[in-house]
Amino acid sequence: NLSFIVENSVKIGKPIIGVSINYRLSGWGLIASEQVSGSGDTNIGLRDQRLALHWVQENIGAFGGDPSKVTIWGESAGAASVGWHLLAYNGRDDGLFRAGIMQSGNPVAYSSYRSVIDYQPQYDALVNATGCGNTIDTLECLRYAPYEKVNAFFNSTGGSGWNPIVDGDFIARWGSLQLEDGDFVRVPIISGAN
């Protein structure tokens, strides 16, 4: 809810337009396995965010906004997302934002990235829980599995804990290496901790 920050911006004479986006979370947005990696569907929750940023560029003018003045902002996981967009596609600048604000997060992941091999047992458990274990293309079967079964798995102890992975595409490399090599979007940032 951005209403307070927008209201405050108006009161101080520097009005902003607040845009909040939806994106897939947990396994819905960060499922990982050899099958998911092979299909190119990794980190889809972050890709959802990227599509939303493209939408803002294309449509914010209709709301009185200026696409050249977009600042992305997040706290905790949202700050990590800002960091991933600063590094996305090995730091490629698609002109989607001119600044970033990170509160309690940054471009370096909170913990070590897990790999598709690490997530494979969790994926296999999902496949079995949804009745897709005897199919040739388990990922295609999961796409048509009943929502209730998939959601129940993602909400179980064994189905939680999905996080972004280094996929060589959206997250090309470890953030610390990209920062060291200068492979990031060069925009002003505010970084802090709550």
Side-chain angles (χ1 to χ4, degrees):
N1 182 346
L2 296 169
S3 60
F4 175 77
I5 192 78
V6 170
E7 179 183 346
N8 217 29
S9 73
V10 171
K11 284 180 182 176
I12 66 170
K14 299 193 181 283
I16 64 167
I17 296 172
V19 177
S20 181
I21 63 170
N22 292 317
Y23 57 95
R24 288 171 278 188
L25 301 169
S26 181
W28 293 109
L30 298 170
I31 188 171
S33 71
E34 291 180 22
Q35 295 83 349
V36 173
S37 184
S39 73
D41 292 323
T42 53
N43 297 316
I44 55 178
L46 295 174
R47 294 173 197 272
D48 289 345
Q49 295 173 2
R50 196 73 169 191
L51 284 173
L53 292 172
H54 281 283
W55 185 93
V56 168
Q57 284 298 307
E58 294 168 7
N59 295 285
I60 199 65
F63 297 90
D66 182 344
S68 70
K69 294 184 177 181
V70 173
T71 297
I72 56 175
W73 171 27
E75 192 270 332
S76 191
S81 289
V82 170
W84 281 310
H85 288 288
L86 289 167
L87 302 176
Y89 303 107
N90 206 42
R92 185 179 78 208
D93 188 351
D94 293 337
L96 298 176
F97 52 90
R98 73 163 183 179
I101 301 171
M102 296 170 283
Q103 297 173 256
S104 299
N106 60 62
V108 178
Y110 293 121
S111 57
S112 296
Y113 284 109
R114 293 172 63 198
S115 71
V116 294
I117 294 167
D118 297 321
Y119 280 115
Q120 194 65 45
Q122 199 169 345
Y123 175 87
D124 293 341
L126 169 62
V127 165
N128 291 330
T130 55
C132 292
N134 294 325
T135 61
I136 293 172
D137 188 343
T138 57
L139 184 57
E140 186 65 12
C141 181
L142 285 175
R143 289 184 173 119
Y144 294 96
Y147 165 83
E148 295 77 16
K149 284 186 178 183
V150 176
N151 197 50
F153 181 82
F154 287 151
N155 288 322
S156 71
T157 303
S160 63
W162 302 89
N163 290 298
I165 63 166
V166 175
D167 59 5
D169 185 37
F170 192 96
I171 300 177
R173 300 179 290 133
W174 281 255
S176 57
L177 297 176
Q178 282 189 235
L179 292 172
E180 182 179 43
D181 292 344
D183 296 327
F184 56 89
V185 179
R186 293 186 175 357
V187 295
I189 63 166
I190 297 173
S191 183
N194 293 339

